[in-house]
Amino acid sequence: MIGKRVVVTGLAAVTPIGNDLGESWSNLVAGVSGAAPITRFDTTGFDTTFACEVKSFDEKAYIPHKQSRRMAIFTRFAVACGMMLLENAGYTIPEAEASRVGVIVGCGLGGLEDLEAFHSKLLEQGPGRISPFFIPMIIANMAAGQISIFTGAKGPGLCTTSACASGLHAIGYAYTDILLGRADVMICGGAESTITPLAVAGFNSLKALSTRNDDPKTASRPFDKDRDGFVIGEGSGLVLLESLEHATARGATILAEVAGFGASLDAFHMTAPPESGEGMALAMSAALREAGLAPAEVAHINAHGTSTYLNDACETTAIKTVFGEHAYTVPITSNKSMIGHTLGAGGGIESVMSVKTIAEGIIPPTINLVTPDPACDLDYCPGVARRAEVSSVLCNSFGFGGANACVVFKKFEE
């Protein structure tokens, strides 16, 4: 790919295992689970009664109370994350270059909690009781819109909505905007908060959620023989991307380079990947091809790894297809074993953790992998983090509708 080099200069995360980047990373490396009984609503009668909720998060340091009341939870996560991101990167957007700074934030469902609440109010109290802020609160692109308002970014703006691939698609297309010279800086990643009665009931109906209610912390068990579904999570993960020229000119600390992006569609089924993992393999191969990396040069894979029967087996098959013999030696991690499946935020959060893996030289573990599945026979870093020199990471996200996205991050070299 001929174009500008794109580097990562900032990271931020709000997750079920930490209210900022430092806490989230340290708990991820330590193998701490964010799963616990749901506190948002009464779970009586639900097949699943637990989730990976963000805990005791207070956005007041970043969002005035009046404005916060007019935002859905996913937007609050995103805006707070956006402010933390610029602080982490040591960057304030100058008015003179605001039109060259864009925002792309992926989100799968938007303000579902507020949609449910206002629908109940409509039925109980009538149409006159619906807030004028209702529509602006729930629409999925409001995370990107509010980040723009709070930071002053006036460049390309977008919400990518591709189910569980939304956050990684956002990073991929933000990278492309810089690569092609459309922007110099991009705030990008994902945000989601859908731990609601309707969402949990819907995913239960699909048989997608774990029902290990007696032991939530061991429920998310990617690649384990006894996995029984994912654990729904929430949060936000954002990265700051810059052209190398822009980052160098302002003396930014470069954490990693974005080397390649691949995307594909399964053309198969609404919710299930094909057993061959063909679409997943196509996206991985495309990302490696754009990065100019041979499969054997990839040092780590941050897997989608949902803890569902089909995804884990299909992703394993796809990795074998792309990596051949190297599939059996490359370390693979599922962050979802600890943070749960944060849906549209997943690719954002997992990209943050992929860059941290490169910067810190630590590969986080996959927890709860106790009984290996014969169909999942690769090295998933069970139980304990590993210290390693990590030159590159392939980060995977796959979503309903057969949407696949993969991004290659690598150690920056001048």
Side-chain angles (χ1 to χ4, degrees):
M1 173 64 71
I2 299 173
K4 293 178 179 290
R5 293 179 71 182
V6 181
V7 294
V8 182
T9 57
L11 303 170
V14 175
T15 76
I17 56 173
N19 290 334
D20 57 29
L21 174 63
E23 185 182 17
S24 295
W25 172 251
S26 63
N27 282 331
L28 192 79
V29 170
V32 174
S33 170
I38 291 171
T39 64
R40 297 278 174 80
F41 61 91
D42 182 359
T43 58
T44 301
F46 283 78
D47 292 338
T48 297
T49 62
F50 62 95
C52 284
E53 296 177 332
V54 170
K55 300 159 186 70
S56 305
F57 182 69
D58 187 356
E59 70 274 10
K60 292 189 183 69
Y62 306 99
I63 311 171
H65 179 64
K66 183 177 180 180
Q67 289 163 285
S68 176
R69 289 178 60 245
R70 297 171 179 176
M71 294 181 191
I73 297 174
F74 82 99
T75 304
R76 287 180 229 159
F77 288 157
V79 171
C81 221
M83 303 303 284
M84 287 188 273
L85 179 70
L86 295 187
E87 182 180 347
N88 179 264
Y91 181 56
T92 300
I93 301 172
E95 176 59 34
E97 59 185 56
S99 65
R100 300 288 299 171
V101 181
V103 186
I104 302 181
V105 179
C107 181
L109 286 167
L112 190 58
E113 182 175 64
D114 294 293
L115 178 62
E116 292 179 39
F118 278 110
H119 182 251
S120 294
K121 182 173 280 192
L122 172 68
L123 297 180
E124 294 166 6
Q125 301 179 33
R129 300 296 299 167
I130 302 303
S131 168
F133 297 106
F134 165 57
I135 296 298
M137 285 172 72
I138 69 165
I139 54 179
N141 74 305
M142 198 49 67
Q146 289 283 16
I147 288 173
S148 166
I149 291 167
F150 273 73
T151 64
K154 298 180 180 179
L158 187 65
C159 169
T160 48
T161 298
S162 49
C164 306
S166 300
L168 202 57
H169 271 129
I171 292 169
Y173 290 115
Y175 150 78
T176 304
D177 274 345
I178 298 174
L179 191 77
L180 298 177
R182 295 170 180 154
D184 297 320
V185 183
M186 295 294 293
I187 298 167
C188 54
E192 195 83 88
S193 180
T194 58
I195 302 174
T196 73
L198 192 59
V200 172
F203 282 121
N204 272 153
S205 183
L206 279 173
K207 306 298 182 186
L209 292 183
S210 170
T211 56
R212 200 178 291 266
N213 297 312
D214 59 335
D215 195 6
K217 292 190 182 300
T218 67
S220 184
R221 44 182 57 225
F223 308 107
D224 189 271
K225 180 176 179 291
D226 297 322
R227 65 192 183 276
D228 72 328
F230 72 81
V231 179
I232 192 170
E234 63 180 353
S236 179
L238 301 177
V239 300
L240 191 72
L241 303 185
E242 300 186 51
S243 69
L244 177 57
E245 295 91 335
H246 188 276
T248 301
R250 73 176 188 88
T253 298
I254 296 174
L255 304 173
E257 182 170 0
V258 184
F261 168 52
S264 69
L265 290 166
D266 287 343
F268 180 70
H269 189 273
M270 288 191 295
T271 59
E275 288 187 13
S276 67
E278 179 191 11
M280 299 173 178
L282 286 171
M284 284 189 264
S285 294
L288 296 182
R289 187 166 56 248
E290 185 166 288
L293 289 180
E297 295 178 284
V298 173
H300 173 52
I301 299 173
N302 195 338
H304 190 52
T306 59
S307 185
T308 57
Y309 177 77
L310 279 176
N311 175 87
D312 295 358
C314 294
E315 185 170 13
T316 296
T317 299
I319 290 170
K320 292 176 182 177
T321 298
V322 174
F323 288 86
E325 286 303 310
H326 186 53
Y328 293 91
T329 57
V330 62
I332 302 165
T333 291
S334 172
N335 297 162
K336 292 180 180 71
S337 62
M338 290 160 281
I339 65 172
H341 195 346
T342 58
L343 310 180
I349 294 171
E350 289 155 25
S351 290
V352 169
M353 301 312 170
S354 296
V355 174
K356 285 291 284 183
T357 295
I358 292 171
E360 303 294 336
I362 302 175
I363 299 174
T366 299
I367 67 169
N368 301 324
L369 209 176
V370 178
T371 308
D373 183 344
C376 301
D377 57 350
L378 304 180
D379 178 8
Y380 307 105
C381 301
V384 181
R386 298 180 190 175
R387 288 203 168 270
E389 182 73 19
V390 181
S391 58
S392 58
V393 178
L394 173 67
C395 188
N396 291 341
S397 287
F398 312 125
F400 283 177
N404 307 300
C406 301
V407 171
V408 175
F409 299 96
K410 70 177 186 180
K411 187 180 289 289
F412 173 71
E413 296 178 354
E414 293 186 21

